[in-house]
Amino acid sequence: MWVRIQPYEASPELPLTPDDSEQYMWPPVRHPAMNVDVDLSPLRESLEAEGIDGYCIDADGTDSDQRYVSGFTAPDPYQTLVTAEGIHLLVSGLEYGRAKADASADSVTRRSAYDYQQLVADHGPYEGKCRMLAAFCADHGVDSLAVPRSFPTGTADGLRAQDLEVTVEPEGIIEGIRATKTDWEREQIQASQRANEAAMATAEALIATADVEDGVLVHDGEPLTSERVKTEIEVTLLRQGCSLDDTIVACGADGADPHNRGSGPLEADELIVIDIFPRDKETGYFADMTRTFARGDPGEEARRRYEVTKAAHEAALEAVEAGVTGADVHDVACDVIEDAGYDTLRSDPSAETGFIHGTGHGVGLDIHEAPSVSPSGGDLEAGHVITIEPGLYDPDVGGVRIEDLVVVTEDGYENLTDYRVALEPTAE
């Protein structure tokens, strides 16, 4: 069921860079950094069933659907139009050369082909853009258009004013297509995970080799802080061709808040949660891994929680295979944790301690994407790349989380993570 959205008051948008050149067409190619065989047949079948001519994405290259479909990335918005015949890009003159060389498209058109600069001068940046885009659609035989949920409302209303029928595609078809990874995509995710492992080894070695003074970890005569470890993680990742916006190095009570990034000195005899989720700077594919360490003796209860989390992690991994649901895998993790006497959100939806999040999520061009390994998780399919990351949390004890990244296969899983699971840190 597709949703037809009534027009809202249009909001002006900043003009995009004008240019002055011609349309360029050639056989489809693969982006060297996005070597994905994009199969858009599910989208095209939906368009045909709804009697809609095309599908348009209006976003910059940080939008993962845009990057995936176009095989191109740019810092400013550009338009990708999918029709029954092909994929067509509309870009500024600034991006035209790169798009022509790199994009996985059947055609690339510069805005100047529609005299965009004059349209802006005559009608203003908002209406000028809409008139240009309407003309672009007309050139590709598109009178009715489907758009993703994130499509700019002002642009949609402006296109309606140009007599195009605009319909929102509510199911996230592109995200669903992206969820099943090609062999090439799996290789890129695994490469990001190799960089992640190097970064985790850096962090673990810092903890393992630190001195202990008055209960605080000390390195090079200074307290070893969460910030210092995160800096060394980032430096390691940069050397591996990856970057990250943030990471988690959380000690003690900080680690009991699953998304607390952590701050301040790291302490001996406390649980330290390290969660690293880098992105390859060239391909855009993420990785994800969490390990929990303790330098010294965190206490009997902390060690017990670690063993229970490890058992839940192993059991959930063994439950993964094509045909089961993400909810099934989550239930397995909950069974282990509840049997050990701890709360989960399944046993107590209001729980503030225990296992208080889902078991995992998809990873790809987004760090969190389909499918979900949670109470709402649907069918897992061969080629899905997911995390398995149960945890236990209590401010009085600290946090424990163990996370691997795996590919779902027909009869199980392939673990993309090659890093030991152990509470005691080592410099090896």
Side-chain angles (χ1 to χ4, degrees):
M1 190 71 180
W2 294 52
V3 179
R4 301 192 185 276
I5 302 296
Q6 296 301 316
Y8 290 88
E9 182 178 355
S11 299
E13 298 181 9
L14 291 175
L16 300 172
T17 306
D19 53 76
D20 51 3
S21 191
E22 72 289 347
Q23 186 176 23
Y24 185 89
M25 300 186 71
W26 75 99
V29 299
R30 294 179 180 178
H31 191 297
M34 275 289 294
N35 194 19
V36 184
D37 287 317
V38 176
D39 179 8
L40 297 180
S41 56
L43 173 63
R44 290 190 168 102
E45 289 166 5
S46 293
L47 294 174
E48 183 178 7
E50 296 290 334
I52 296 174
D53 299 329
Y55 180 87
C56 185
I57 304 172
D58 180 9
D60 64 31
T62 63
D63 182 283
S64 295
D65 285 356
Q66 175 72 293
R67 182 169 186 164
Y68 185 85
V69 174
S70 69
F72 182 65
T73 181
D76 297 315
Y78 58 99
Q79 292 74 42
T80 300
L81 179 65
V82 180
T83 67
E85 289 74 29
I87 300 172
H88 311 284
L89 267 60
L90 180 61
V91 302
S92 70
L94 184 66
E95 302 295 351
Y96 179 68
R98 286 197 313 113
K100 184 173 66 173
D102 294 346
S104 299
D106 298 284
S107 74
V108 174
T109 305
R110 278 201 272 214
R111 295 182 185 127
S112 63
Y114 302 102
D115 204 5
Y116 174 60
Q117 192 170 13
Q118 190 62 50
L119 287 174
V120 170
D122 292 343
H123 304 283
Y126 166 65
E127 186 174 343
K129 173 187 173 179
C130 294
R131 285 174 177 263
M132 172 190 67
L133 186 51
F136 175 66
C137 289
D139 278 353
H140 292 287
V142 172
D143 295 317
S144 56
L145 199 62
V147 298
R149 292 163 293 187
S150 59
F151 195 84
T153 302
T155 304
D157 287 344
L159 291 175
R160 293 185 182 103
Q162 298 298 318
D163 297 325
L164 268 81
E165 183 179 308
V166 181
T167 301
V168 173
E169 187 282 294
E171 302 301 324
I173 289 177
I174 301 298
E175 185 179 9
I177 294 170
R178 283 171 39 214
T180 302
K181 306 300 190 287
T182 66
D183 289 343
W184 182 85
E185 288 180 287
R186 292 194 290 272
E187 289 171 3
Q188 308 321 306
I189 295 169
Q190 187 164 35
S192 296
Q193 192 73 325
R194 294 289 87 83
N196 201 356
E197 291 158 6
M200 185 67 75
T202 296
E204 183 180 0
L206 282 170
I207 294 169
T209 60
D211 297 322
V212 178
E213 296 180 8
D214 298 324
V216 174
L217 302 188
V218 175
H219 207 279
D220 297 331
E222 298 289 338
L224 181 62
T225 63
S226 172
E227 291 82 0
R228 166 72 186 281
V229 175
K230 285 186 277 190
T231 296
E232 296 302 325
I233 286 170
E234 186 167 3
V235 168
T236 301
L237 289 171
L238 286 171
R239 289 171 175 161
Q240 300 282 330
C242 291
S243 63
L244 76 171
D245 293 329
D246 208 346
T247 194
I248 294 172
V249 180
C251 180
D254 285 352
D257 179 351
H259 279 173
N260 188 321
R261 270 32 182 178
S263 62
L266 302 179
E267 300 178 14
D269 306 324
E270 293 282 359
L271 296 168
I272 303 171
V273 177
I274 302 179
D275 187 348
I276 312 174
F277 32 99
R279 189 181 204 183
D280 185 277
K281 294 173 70 175
E282 181 181 2
T283 68
Y285 282 89
F286 279 93
D288 204 356
M289 175 171 56
T290 306
R291 292 295 185 264
T292 303
F293 302 109
R295 176 70 186 279
D297 183 5
E300 182 179 352
E301 177 59 21
R303 290 195 302 273
R304 181 175 189 270
R305 286 167 176 261
Y306 187 91
E307 292 304 320
V308 170
T309 301
K310 183 179 178 182
H313 178 257
E314 292 170 350
L317 285 174
E318 290 305 311
V320 172
E321 65 178 341
V324 305
T325 67
D328 293 334
V329 177
H330 178 69
D331 281 340
V332 169
C334 288
D335 288 342
V336 173
I337 291 169
E338 291 169 11
D339 287 348
Y342 299 105
D343 285 335
T344 71
L345 292 180
R346 184 181 72 174
S347 64
D348 180 3
S350 64
E352 296 181 359
T353 62
F355 183 27
I356 52 176
H357 55 70
T359 296
H361 54 85
V363 173
L365 288 172
D366 288 321
I367 187 58
H368 294 102
E369 62 179 46
S372 175
V373 187
S374 71
S376 62
D379 290 343
L380 298 181
E381 300 177 9
H384 284 170
V385 175
I386 59 173
T387 67
I388 297 296
E389 50 178 309
L392 279 170
Y393 309 91
D394 188 328
D396 292 335
V397 182
V400 179
R401 185 164 64 255
I402 300 170
E403 176 185 25
D404 281 354
L405 187 59
V406 307
V407 181
V408 180
T409 65
E410 290 293 348
D411 57 358
Y413 68 95
E414 175 191 351
N415 200 326
L416 300 181
T417 312
D418 183 15
Y419 202 94
R420 72 187 190 103
V421 176
L423 182 60
E424 298 77 17
T426 178
E428 295 179 359

